[in-house]
Each structure stands twice: as C-alpha cells, then as structure tokens.
Amino acid sequence: MTTTPVWSVDPRTGKQREQVAVEATPQEVDEAVRAAHAAHAARGPLADATVRAAFLRAAAALLDEAAAHVIEAADAETALGPNRLTGELARTTGQLRAFADAVDEGSYLDVRIDRADPSLSPPRPELRRYKVPLGVVAVYAASNFPLAFSVPGGDTASALAAGCPVVVKAHPDHPATSELCASLLRRAAVATGLPPEVVTVVHGFDAGLELIRHPLVAAAGFTGSIRGGRALFDAAAARPVPIPFHGELGSLNPVVVTPAAAAERAEEIGAGLAGSVTLGLGQFCVKPGLVLVPEGAAGDRLTGALTKALGETEPGVLLDHRMRDNFVSGVRERAGLPGVDAPVTPGSGGEHTVGAGYLTVTAADLLGGGAYDLLLEECFGPVTVVVRYADQGEAGAVLGRLPGNLSATLQLSAAETEGAPGPAAELIGQVTGLAGRIVVNGWPTGVAVAPAQHHGGPYPAATSHSTSVGGTAIERWLRPVAYQSVPDALLPAELREANPLGLPRRVTGG
C-alpha cells in the first residue's frame, strides 16, 4: 500500500524540515475510533470524574515541564515566535486546569430533581435528570493556534472533561507539534490510570473525511475556514445518523466608530485598531476585518493614525505559503475594485513575508453590492477594510448586510457610554443580532478564557449556538437523560438521594 508522508515545513523558508508521520489510511482511522470508543463504552476510569480531573491536571503539568521543547517545535512550524507561543501554552494549560476544576465542582452535569407530587394536575412523577457524555469526539485542529485550538486545546480539554475520548485530525501546518503534544497527553493518561487511546492523532485530508463519517464518532469540533468547515458540517448532517458539528468557520468582526468617539479620541482609536489588526500578523479569528469610520475631519485623523501605525509595521511570515499566496491574491482582488483605495498597501513583503495595510471604500459603494460583496468576506492576514459612512443610517445599512460574526466592537464617546437612550443603545441592539460577543471601547483580539465567555456566533461564525472557549464549552459533548420513577438503588450515583458524589443539584418539591 502506498503511504503519503507528512512533513513538517518551515514557513520562514518554505523548506521541509522532517517527515513526522504518514497520512492515516481508512483502516487506521477505523482502528483509532474503535479504540477510543472502547475506552468510552467500558465505563471504566474515563467515567470516574476524579480520574478525569487528575488526568487533565497531569496533562497540564507535563506540557509545562516540556514547555521549552513544545514552544521550539511550534515556532519552527508556525513562525509565531516564542513570546506569542509562551502565552498560548499558558492559556492551553490554564484551560486544562480550568476544566479539571469544572469536573470537580460538578455543576456541568446540571443535576435536577423533581419530587413526585400527585396533587398536581396532571400528577408529577419522580423525575431525576443529568447529562451524560456523547462518546467519541472528532477534533479538527486549527492552523493559527497550534496549542490552544489544536491537540491539547479547548475542544480536546472540554471533551475529555465531559468524559469523551478524542480523535484529533492534526493540522498539516504543525504535525510535529501535534505529535509531541499527543505523546504528552497520552503519557498523562497512562499515569492516571486511563488507556492512552483516550487521545489519538491522525493525519491527512482523507483521514479527516473518514473521521467525520465514522459511525462511532458521536460529535465533532472544528476551527478553520468556511469552505472546509461547511464541507465537514454537511458530511456530519448527511450521515445515516447525523451528529452535532460544532464549527467555527469565519468572521469579519465589524467595528463601528461613532462620530462622537472619533471626535474625542481619533488618534487613540486609529493606533489601537492597527495593533489589533496586526496582532499575530492578522491571523486571529477575531481580527477586526471591517471598520466603519465616519466621514469628515475626525475620521480623517483616525485613518491618519492608522496609516502611520501600519506603515511602521514590519513584514512578517504567515503560517504557510498557501495562506501567504491566498492573502496576496485576496488583497490584490479587493484593491482592484473601483473606488477602493489602499493608503497602506497590504500584500507581499518579500519572498516569504507579507506586509500589513488597509483598504478604504465608501459606504455608498459598498452598499451597491455586486463585486463589492467581496469586501464582506474574511481575508486572513494583516489587512482590514475601512468603510467611510455619512450618517448612522448608512452605517446601519452596512451592518445589515453582514453575515454572522464572532464579535462586534463599538467605539463610543464617554457621553455615549452613560447608557441614555440614543444611537449607541440602538447600535448595541443591532450588533447583538449579528455577533456572539459585543465589545465596547476595546478590541476583539484576545479572548479571555472565563466562565462567562462566548466564542461563537450566528452562521458562518459558528454552526451551533455553543462556545468553543470558556467553561460552558463542555456542554457541547453532553446530552441530558431523565429518569422517571426509577428506584434509588438503580439510579446513577450522580442522581441518588444521598448524593454520594456531593454534586450541586436543583430540587423541586418536598
């Protein structure tokens, strides 16, 4: 049988570094899924919350111990740099520990007990409800976060916390990092009494398709492009038994600068926008890709500050040469539209690098549709589109053309933040309808890992209403089950009257 090698490639040079693995065959994907399913179906150590919490903490500890090696491997394959990757590793291990804490605390099980009450009409039987793990979860790793959204990332951590084994389809941009992290997670599993098959990595495009179609895969998590995510989403829905597909696909992350905010702090907003657009060389899923700036002198001062800051930004290396080529051609196509200007021309910065910049267009042109709809599509890399608008009606019309987004940001004046009814309140209402996270007087880049976080949004930002960041990400891999009039001795331990596991629960009736 012919095997296809999987190479680690240096994005700074485009040269192959080492062969890491070979692409998985259909048989190997089947074996990986069946081994993971066996770990779930046995209801063995993986079903024990104490063991799972210990496993997640052990995985975090091993990643921290191997930090220098992990960061070196990731930087060699992504060119993201040691500083960025050090922070990402801390976020990754923090997520693992946070989910361990969530498992210990137990409220994610959402235990509810309704006491029997024959006096009600109709009478209420004894009902006890909690959530159980779905089974094997397929995780599709992201290109732009080789740690936090890849093998040891949030999808994996939340699925394991829920009690679901994971088969990860590694991203081709960082296969060596993926294998290294997988080996550390599997070591942690064995050290805490779990089978190593609770985490498995496969490589290859075809392997990803085999994975989503496998009858024993119960759910999937994805972070990536609209095209790739939609293909997998459709495959998940087309199965004889469809499965949940939690995909993060793409986002423009609009920013609206009000006239009052521009008049009050144009230069500050312009500089802040430049920093957000170029953070991680524009390779964050929440990069602001469309910015509504008022016409007039204040808006001119803002774009002047943006021009200065972006003009001083050094070229950098994107995650791979395919993304570089797509960025260069995407910018060229957008800049070629009539009426579109490039005060700082983004695009090729050299054979292996790209330069940051921005494009400008009037709201009137953009609202004309046709070829201008291209400006409403995400362009992955260090570029944003500044739309100059005449009044709030025009700004609102542009917002009304946008698809779903992960975030929407409002830059408001001090007076507008006082909350009195007016244009700012109307803007809050409008952007709430098209984004999963609303930011005021900040920037969307930098997604805090916190219980109240929501990282998702209306399609195509996400394919479900769940979040891939924060404590509630665990809910994606669970389903509720109610037990009616079941004798206490036959109930799962989580639902027994004595509450032997000490779980938080909601109880109705005497």
Side-chain angles (χ1 to χ4, degrees), residues 262-286:
E264 188 174 88
R265 48 193 178 87
E267 290 79 9
E268 176 188 333
I269 294 171
L273 173 60
S276 188
V277 168
T278 58
L279 186 65
L281 207 61
Q283 298 175 109
F284 279 40
C285 47
V286 287

Side-chain angles (χ1 to χ4, degrees), residues 110-146:
D110 195 22
V111 177
R112 298 168 184 253
I113 297 174
D114 292 333
R115 306 288 189 198
D117 191 340
S119 68
L120 297 176
S121 182
R124 184 175 68 208
E126 181 88 357
L127 289 166
R128 294 172 181 249
R129 177 185 186 272
Y130 81 136
K131 294 182 178 180
V132 299
L134 292 175
V136 180
V137 170
V139 170
Y140 293 81
S143 63
N144 56 341
F145 282 85

Side-chain angles (χ1 to χ4, degrees), residues 8 14 44 47 115 145 152 155 169 192 199 212 280 311 358 403 413 441 475:
S8 172
R115 306 288 189 198
F145 282 85
D155 283 352
K169 206 293 281 185
T192 50
V199 178
I212 199 68
Y358 75 102
S413 69
N441 290 351
E475 296 173 359

Side-chain angles (χ1 to χ4, degrees), residues 197-250:
E197 292 82 9
V198 295
V199 178
T200 305
V201 169
V202 296
H203 299 267
F205 178 84
D206 290 341
L209 294 176
E210 292 288 337
L211 191 56
I212 199 68
R213 294 168 180 158
H214 198 288
L216 294 180
V217 168
F222 171 90
T223 302
S225 69
I226 294 178
R227 181 180 177 184
R230 183 56 193 255
L232 292 171
F233 180 40
D234 291 346
R239 291 165 42 122
V241 178
I243 59 171
F245 181 86
H246 301 287
E248 179 197 317
L249 309 189

Side-chain angles (χ1 to χ4, degrees), residues 1-415:
M1 179 182 293
T2 302
T3 58
T4 303
V6 174
W7 290 91
S8 172
V9 176
D10 183 348
R12 294 180 172 96
T13 64
K15 295 181 179 179
Q16 294 176 340
R17 298 176 58 249
E18 60 177 327
Q19 182 180 338
V20 173
V22 295
E23 293 187 0
T25 64
Q27 180 181 346
E28 289 167 338
V29 173
D30 178 64
E31 290 170 353
V33 174
R34 291 188 182 280
H37 177 71
H40 169 72
R43 299 299 292 163
L46 189 61
D48 187 322
T50 302
V51 173
R52 293 203 307 278
F55 165 43
L56 293 169
R57 292 190 178 101
L62 285 176
L63 284 163
D64 281 340
E65 289 175 14
H69 192 190
V70 170
I71 291 166
E72 180 183 16
D75 180 53
E77 294 186 305
T78 66
L80 288 173
N83 290 340
R84 150 70 194 275
L85 291 167
T86 297
E88 186 179 335
L89 180 58
R91 170 182 174 160
T92 303
T93 57
Q95 286 178 155
L96 288 162
R97 293 185 175 99
F99 281 114
D101 292 343
V103 171
D104 284 341
E105 191 268 339
S107 62
Y108 73 98
L109 293 171
D110 195 22
V111 177
R112 298 168 184 253
I113 297 174
D114 292 333
R115 306 288 189 198
D117 191 340
S119 68
L120 297 176
S121 182
R124 184 175 68 208
E126 181 88 357
L127 289 166
R128 294 172 181 249
R129 177 185 186 272
Y130 81 136
K131 294 182 178 180
V132 299
L134 292 175
V136 180
V137 170
V139 170
Y140 293 81
S143 63
N144 56 341
F145 282 85
L147 305 174
F149 280 86
S150 293
V151 172
D155 283 352
T156 298
S158 58
L160 292 169
C164 297
V166 172
V167 179
V168 183
K169 206 293 281 185
H171 197 280
D173 278 353
H174 36 78
T177 307
S178 298
E179 286 290 339
L180 172 59
C181 291
S183 71
L184 295 170
L185 265 61
R186 290 164 71 90
R187 279 177 52 195
V190 172
T192 50
L194 287 168
E197 292 82 9
V198 295
V199 178
T200 305
V201 169
V202 296
H203 299 267
F205 178 84
D206 290 341
L209 294 176
E210 292 288 337
L211 191 56
I212 199 68
R213 294 168 180 158
H214 198 288
L216 294 180
V217 168
F222 171 90
T223 302
S225 69
I226 294 178
R227 181 180 177 184
R230 183 56 193 255
L232 292 171
F233 180 40
D234 291 346
R239 291 165 42 122
V241 178
I243 59 171
F245 181 86
H246 301 287
E248 179 197 317
L249 309 189
S251 183
L252 270 179
N253 308 299
V255 177
V256 181
V257 182
T258 66
E264 188 174 88
R265 48 193 178 87
E267 290 79 9
E268 176 188 333
I269 294 171
L273 173 60
S276 188
V277 168
T278 58
L279 186 65
L281 207 61
Q283 298 175 109
F284 279 40
C285 47
V286 287
K287 178 203 73 177
L290 188 85
V291 187
L292 287 154
V293 175
E295 295 177 352
D300 291 345
R301 287 193 290 116
L302 189 157
T303 56
L306 178 63
T307 298
K308 181 177 185 298
L310 290 179
E312 295 172 351
T313 302
E314 293 293 324
V317 177
L318 292 181
L319 291 162
D320 63 37
H321 280 61
R322 176 184 58 83
M323 291 183 187
R324 179 191 176 279
D325 293 343
N326 288 342
F327 174 73
V328 172
S329 62
V331 165
R332 184 186 304 118
E333 187 177 1
R334 288 164 173 80
L337 295 172
V340 173
D341 294 322
V344 180
T345 304
S348 177
E351 183 181 359
H352 305 293
T353 60
V354 297
Y358 75 102
L359 308 175
T360 64
V361 67
T362 66
D365 280 345
L366 184 62
L367 290 170
Y372 292 96
D373 286 347
L374 180 63
L375 299 174
L376 303 180
E377 298 177 11
E378 179 183 14
C379 187
F380 192 73
V383 64
T384 193
V385 176
V386 172
V387 181
R388 302 299 296 269
Y389 68 92
D391 52 39
Q392 183 159 341
E394 204 169 55
V398 172
L399 291 174
R401 294 280 311 283
L402 300 186
N405 287 271
L406 294 171
S407 72
T409 298
L410 303 180
Q411 295 293 339
L412 307 177
S413 69

Side-chain angles (χ1 to χ4, degrees), residues 455-508:
H455 190 62
Y459 185 87
T463 60
S464 69
H465 297 307
S466 60
T467 178
S468 60
V469 178
T472 54
I474 195 174
E475 296 173 359
R476 297 173 294 169
W477 321 120
L478 299 161
R479 67 176 180 88
V481 178
Y483 294 79
Q484 180 175 324
S485 304
V486 175
D488 192 72
L490 299 180
L491 286 168
E494 292 87 349
L495 297 178
R496 289 178 188 163
E497 186 64 24
N499 194 10
L501 303 180
L503 295 171
R505 46 174 61 179
R506 302 180 188 182
V507 181
T508 302

